[in-house]
Amino acid sequence: MELLFNKIISLKQISTLSKHEQLVQGIIECIENESLVVGDQLPSINQMVENIGFARKTIVKAYEELKDRGLVESKKIKGYFILSNKTDVVLKVALLLYSFHRFQEEFYNSFRKELGERYQIDIYVHHNNLDAFENIISNIHGKYGAYVVAPIENPLVRPLLETIEPSRLLIIDRYLDLGVHYSYIAQEFEHSTHDRLTEILEIVKKYNKIVLYFRNDADYPIGVLKGFERFVAENGLIGEIEKNYRPDSVQAGVLYFFIDDTDLWELFRDCRKLNLVIGQDVGLLSHNDHIIKEIIAGGIATISTNFNEMAIKAADYVKHGILIHEIIPADFIQRNSL
């Protein structure tokens, strides 16, 4: 460790560097010149105090910054170790999503672009599975400078996330109340669904009935179902809820509301087979927008949150760490399918 100690001591001559910056820069330079390699153990806090003369809290602050950047990891009792030689990374970010559907891919692409190449983003997917969620959180805990998490709507998830320091955690997509010290940028489903459907009531009335495809055993937001049921009841409409679209079940005069895109494409196929014109014979409304829905068959109408906006705001939080509590409402996007 003599080379490391000498490097940090030499940086004391640079008055523009704070003490903790001298420590960080000294370790980074030793990684770059390969005096330190992946797997090497850093001096203990006590050794640093003895050889460098800085306060313990200064050394801890420097080691924690190196952990945030993904260069160092801490192991219980054993100490701090070099984890990576990617010294150009300013922050290592864990992004935990439900899945990698098209709209979540859109979120990631905007998030990645907004942060830039100096941020390392590792993607994890839990598929609305509590065991998978718990295992991921356990495996990544303490290894990242920031955690951007789409939580599962389950009471067991809250205590798992509360193990992460509030300033490092951002809740996205689904809202979860972790208290005022935790940040979130989330969707809202019940009121948004109800209000957007109410806005297009006259369009909905053109159809004999409206059918929502909703599965309780999937990761569908329960708020969509509640908003739909309230809208139908308030307006005296014929509304039905089906678990899945059944092939060859399409009927003229019906408005179909899909959450899952797989069901949506099956209806497209059946309409073509029966020469039913979408937007005239059959109505089609989809949840979550994507560029494909803008293009195909003259466009599919959607009720959707702006995921680009959510991604940009999430990236801003990661870069600046300013506490944020924001619900992004859904918009209705009119297209030829209605």
Side-chain angles (χ1 to χ4, degrees):
M1 291 293 106
E2 197 67 31
L3 289 174
L4 174 60
F5 294 142
N6 290 338
K7 171 56 69 177
I8 295 171
I9 290 170
S10 71
L11 292 172
K12 288 184 177 181
Q13 312 306 315
I14 304 177
S15 59
T16 55
L17 293 177
S18 67
K19 290 181 178 179
H20 112 267
E21 288 172 336
Q22 292 166 14
L23 286 164
V24 169
Q25 187 61 35
I27 292 170
I28 286 176
E29 290 187 20
C30 284
I31 292 173
E32 290 176 338
N33 66 28
E34 298 185 346
S35 300
L36 290 172
V37 298
V38 173
D40 282 352
Q41 183 172 5
L42 288 172
S44 68
I45 306 298
N46 289 337
Q47 287 176 314
M48 276 291 194
V49 170
E50 181 180 343
N51 286 274
I52 305 301
F54 293 164
R56 293 177 63 86
K57 66 178 182 180
T58 302
I59 298 164
V60 170
K61 181 181 179 182
Y63 279 8
E64 288 300 311
E65 179 177 329
L66 292 164
K67 280 179 60 179
D68 290 350
R69 294 174 65 164
L71 294 173
V72 167
E73 67 175 335
S74 58
K75 298 180 181 179
K76 288 184 179 179
I77 302 175
K78 293 184 179 181
Y80 293 85
F81 295 80
I82 302 299
L83 179 64
S84 170
N85 59 7
K86 297 179 180 178
T87 56
D88 58 335
V89 172
V90 298
L91 193 70
K92 191 177 178 185
V93 182
L95 177 61
L96 179 51
L97 300 173
Y98 265 83
S99 60
F100 216 56
H101 293 315
R102 289 185 180 90
F103 67 91
Q104 287 158 326
E105 180 181 358
E106 180 179 307
F107 173 93
Y108 168 75
N109 288 336
S110 297
F111 186 63
R112 166 77 280 169
K113 180 180 179 181
E114 195 69 19
L115 282 180
E117 293 302 320
R118 297 194 68 194
Y119 287 79
Q120 178 180 326
I121 305 171
D122 292 341
I123 304 174
Y124 301 89
V125 177
H126 59 69
H127 297 291
N128 202 43
N129 182 291
L130 184 60
D131 289 338
F133 188 94
E134 185 174 8
N135 287 335
I136 292 169
I137 293 297
S138 176
N139 290 332
I140 68 177
H141 192 279
K143 296 181 180 179
Y144 290 87
Y147 300 82
V148 180
V149 178
I152 296 174
E153 295 173 287
N154 186 299
L156 297 177
V157 164
R158 177 170 179 157
L160 290 173
L161 292 176
E162 287 177 332
T163 64
I164 300 173
E165 184 181 328
S167 63
R168 297 175 189 264
L169 176 62
L170 174 67
I171 298 297
I172 59 164
D173 196 359
R174 310 292 173 87
Y175 173 70
L176 178 65
D177 184 7
L178 293 176
V180 296
H181 300 297
Y182 285 89
S183 290
Y184 61 81
I185 306 168
Q187 302 185 69
E188 190 285 318
F189 298 100
E190 180 175 350
H191 298 299
S192 289
T193 300
H194 171 271
D195 294 350
R196 300 298 83 76
L197 288 172
T198 301
E199 288 174 8
I200 60 169
L201 176 60
E202 294 307 312
I203 297 175
V204 175
K205 284 181 175 180
K206 294 192 312 182
Y207 299 93
N208 300 327
K209 65 179 178 180
I210 177 171
V211 178
L212 170 67
Y213 290 97
F214 188 92
R215 291 174 51 195
N216 289 310
D217 61 346
D219 63 352
Y220 300 172
I222 191 66
V224 174
L225 176 62
K226 291 179 178 179
F228 174 83
E229 291 177 325
R230 186 153 59 93
F231 166 73
V232 168
E234 285 178 356
N235 295 286
L237 302 172
I238 298 175
E240 296 179 1
I241 299 163
E242 299 284 349
K243 186 174 182 180
N244 293 105
Y245 174 75
R246 291 175 287 105
D248 301 318
S249 66
V250 62
Q251 297 177 1
V254 178
L255 169 56
Y256 296 94
F257 184 9
F258 289 99
I259 295 178
D260 192 304
D261 288 351
T262 302
D263 286 340
L264 184 153
W265 306 135
E266 289 185 0
L267 179 132
F268 257 96
R269 180 194 59 198
D270 287 349
C271 286
R272 288 181 59 187
K273 186 165 57 176
L274 297 173
N275 293 317
L276 294 173
V277 179
I278 293 175
Q280 296 180 26
D281 304 315
V282 172
L284 180 57
L285 179 63
S286 179
H287 197 260
N288 294 323
D289 200 34
H290 189 268
I291 190 170
I292 292 176
K293 296 175 184 178
E294 181 180 346
I295 297 169
I296 193 168
I300 301 171
T302 61
I303 293 176
S304 179
T305 296
N306 186 325
F307 293 99
N308 283 322
E309 179 185 354
M310 183 183 290
I312 291 169
K313 290 179 181 290
D316 187 69
Y317 171 83
V318 169
K319 288 188 285 188
H320 304 294
I322 299 173
L323 186 71
I324 182 170
H325 295 155
E326 184 164 345
I327 298 293
I328 299 180
D331 296 318
F332 169 69
I333 303 172
Q334 171 69 294
R335 296 194 180 112
N336 291 338
S337 67
L338 285 182

